[in-house]
Amino acid sequence: MRKTHFARFVRRHGRSIVLFGVSAFLVMVGSGFIWAASLKIPDIESLSERKVTQSTKIYDRTGEVLLMDLSLDVTRSIISGDDISANVKNATVAIEDSEFYDHHGIRIKAIIRAVLANLVPGGNTQGGSTITQQVVKNSILTTDRTLTRKLKEWVLAVKLERLYSKDQILALYLNESPYGGSIYGVEEAAQKYFGKSARDLTIAEAAYLAALPQAPTYYSPYGNHRDALDGRKNLVLARMYELGFITEDEYDGAKVEEIFFRPQEITGIRAPHFSFHVRELLEQEFGKRVLEENGWKVITTLDADMENDAEQTLRDFAESNLKEFNASNAALVALDPQSGDILAMVGSRDYFSTDIPGAYNVATALPGRQPGSAFKPFVYAAAFLMGYTPDTILFDVPTQFSTQAECGPTDIYKDEAPCYAPQDYDNKFRGPMTIRDALAQSINIPAVKALYLVGIQKAINLASALGITTLGHPDQYGLTLVLGGGEVTLLDMASAYGVFANEGVRNAPRAILRIEDRAGNIVKSYELSPERVLDQNVALQVTDVLADHDAKVPAYGEGSPIFFPGYHVAAKTGTTDDTRDAWIIGYTPKLVVGTWAGNNDNTSMVKKVAGLIVVPMWHDFFAKVLAKMGDTPFPEPRETLTEADKPILRGIWEGNEVVKVNALTNQPVDGNFTGPTKERITVSVHDILYWLDKRDPRGPRPSNPEQDPQFTRWEFSVRNWAAQNGYNDGRVIYR
């Protein structure tokens, strides 16, 4: 019935409906033409004037110490298109807009994608702007990402193409583009980076410059992503070759041409490694243009006084470390574990040094550095989670871990592939050790055994949960992981140790507290998001070991700078086998300080332990801060052992048959006895795999320990040691 009425209505009023629709369409089109015609294009001179209203400034945590002004010393040199090398023009077109000479300001397909993406709820805004659109966007329009602004951009791009030639538009773009820091325009970039005019740039140099505008801070030749810059330069060259801008010979030559960048010229910046770290974070989140125009005040987490102390410490030790240890560089990071706040970040001993180079930020650079034994606490923490204890016994005896090698009396010392029989720096073997002593003294063989007991995947999972972001698949490492076979960053290591300091609660590294606009209104606050990633008692157990002065003395001696008399400080050192990296991470409940020493080019230092290379400078800085902060004791861990637990978990390695006896008569006693007691042990010395299932250390003994692929290797070495030291089965001892 309803359909019949509708059909009659259409037949009766169809002509009027069509006329109305056509009229509405013509009105919309006409309005669009009037609106488009009303949009004005500034003249060529005004387009060349960069629009920087008020730049963002970065401050310390008090909001009073200025660290960096993002518009400081902005430099540009406007040149005509005739003064720009064809290499630069071709490289830029190749990577930014390969259809530049064919379109009329816009690309229809890109517009359709952009419209669809903006119309779909939650859709991503689309890029793909032409060079002409980028000129309009950078010189005429605001940075908001509305559809209306995009429409203006498209219309103005078409109008710009009608008013100016392609060469003029390309010159506008090249004079406008950011090339890193305060450098704008291709002429300024050519002078700053290569010491020559833009008209004289080689193909390779032009490709490097064309690679920069997409992300000038990230791709900076002075930053941590030089490999990424080289890769993008090669991409530019490949596109130039594909488009016929260069020949195959030119392409091959430019790929291998060695390019030298001039030393960086930076003035008026405090805490430069940290400031550029913050700047990169801001540009990733908001984009470069927003920071340059909105006049924000960024309040960071940096403690300016602590940063000054850190920078001075590294300068004080730089010359002696180079002379004595061939360590040309060092880095230091200080964090508040209760918030994750970065209080100090010194990425090299001298930011402005051209020898290192100093602008390279070792604290955050990828790929990372190998941590050596500084990785061991993560493995032992995983062991504690499974039920192992600081009193658990692991034998430090010559052991052949490779299942592809024999494990006879001489094989247990072979360490050439495919064998694996690690030793310690002093080539000594200490026999049975508690995990407490093994970790405190950084003994290698017990650590390798601990990693096997835990499992490589579990160790990686825990380290990742604590904040180590750079580890890959377990097959990359094998049992060498516990001795520092992976790659890490100093910032990640300090953050992960912060979990131990904060009793198992992680606060990710935070560099920014809040952003304010010019009126003082808060644009964004960076709130804490604490997360429990480790059992509290396990964190306290690790700390209790790393702060145990008596357990460390056999390795470090009484007067070592790893100790702070009168203060509670937990710490762990690490040195790689080839002495390319020396580490120490130390902490209190309120502060974590990580320090690294080595060479940027990854060459070896003099073969010494970290205690000699890096600990003195770490101690110097830590002592200054502790004097201001005072002492804060660590909470004691809860005891989890009982007499019902296996003797090997309780520090008894001589045998599993243990009887409590009267200390005077040696007669067994029951639980009601109140006199002095001792334990009678029937000697039967075996490795830990004999006494327990590695997957369930508190559970039943394994019925067939030989099934474990490492059992015969560990057992051979332990039984060999016991026989050599007179521990005969069946003998009774008391303790």
Side-chain angles (χ1 to χ4, degrees), residues 638-697:
R638 183 184 71 259
E639 181 57 68
T640 61
L641 279 172
T642 69
E643 291 184 358
D645 284 309
K646 299 178 180 68
I648 197 79
L649 297 174
R650 297 190 286 120
I652 300 172
W653 54 269
E654 296 89 346
N656 197 58
E657 186 180 327
V658 181
V659 179
K660 183 177 289 188
V661 300
N662 186 315
L664 301 176
T665 66
N666 289 340
Q667 296 301 308
V669 298
D670 58 24
N672 297 320
F673 183 75
T674 58
T677 64
K678 58 185 177 181
E679 291 180 310
R680 183 179 70 198
I681 304 167
T682 301
V683 173
S684 180
V685 180
H686 296 276
D687 191 83
I688 192 170
L689 291 173
Y690 182 88
W691 301 116
L692 54 78
D693 181 343
K694 68 175 184 290
R695 297 163 298 185
D696 184 17

Side-chain angles (χ1 to χ4, degrees), residues 273-289:
H273 290 104
F274 176 79
S275 296
F276 278 103
H277 175 65
V278 170
R279 175 175 176 166
E280 186 171 339
L281 294 176
L282 291 168
E283 289 186 5
Q284 289 172 358
E285 184 173 3
F286 299 104
K288 186 178 179 68
R289 179 96 179 269

Side-chain angles (χ1 to χ4, degrees), residues 353-376:
S353 170
T354 58
D355 298 329
I356 309 173
Y360 187 78
N361 188 349
V362 180
T364 60
L366 294 173
R369 314 292 299 225
Q370 292 192 343
S373 293
F375 194 83
K376 289 175 180 175

Side-chain angles (χ1 to χ4, degrees), residues 456-501:
I456 298 173
Q457 186 64 68
K458 284 185 179 179
I460 290 176
N461 290 346
L462 181 60
S464 299
L466 268 58
I468 304 299
T469 62
T470 51
L471 297 179
H473 193 275
D475 292 343
Q476 295 177 233
Y477 312 110
L479 294 177
T480 62
L481 177 66
V482 71
L483 306 184
E487 291 182 339
V488 299
T489 68
L490 179 59
L491 180 59
D492 278 0
M493 287 292 284
S495 177
Y497 272 68
V499 176
F500 299 139

Side-chain angles (χ1 to χ4, degrees), residues 89 198 200 292 505 702 716:
K89 296 177 182 178
D200 300 321
E292 292 170 342
V505 176
F716 172 84

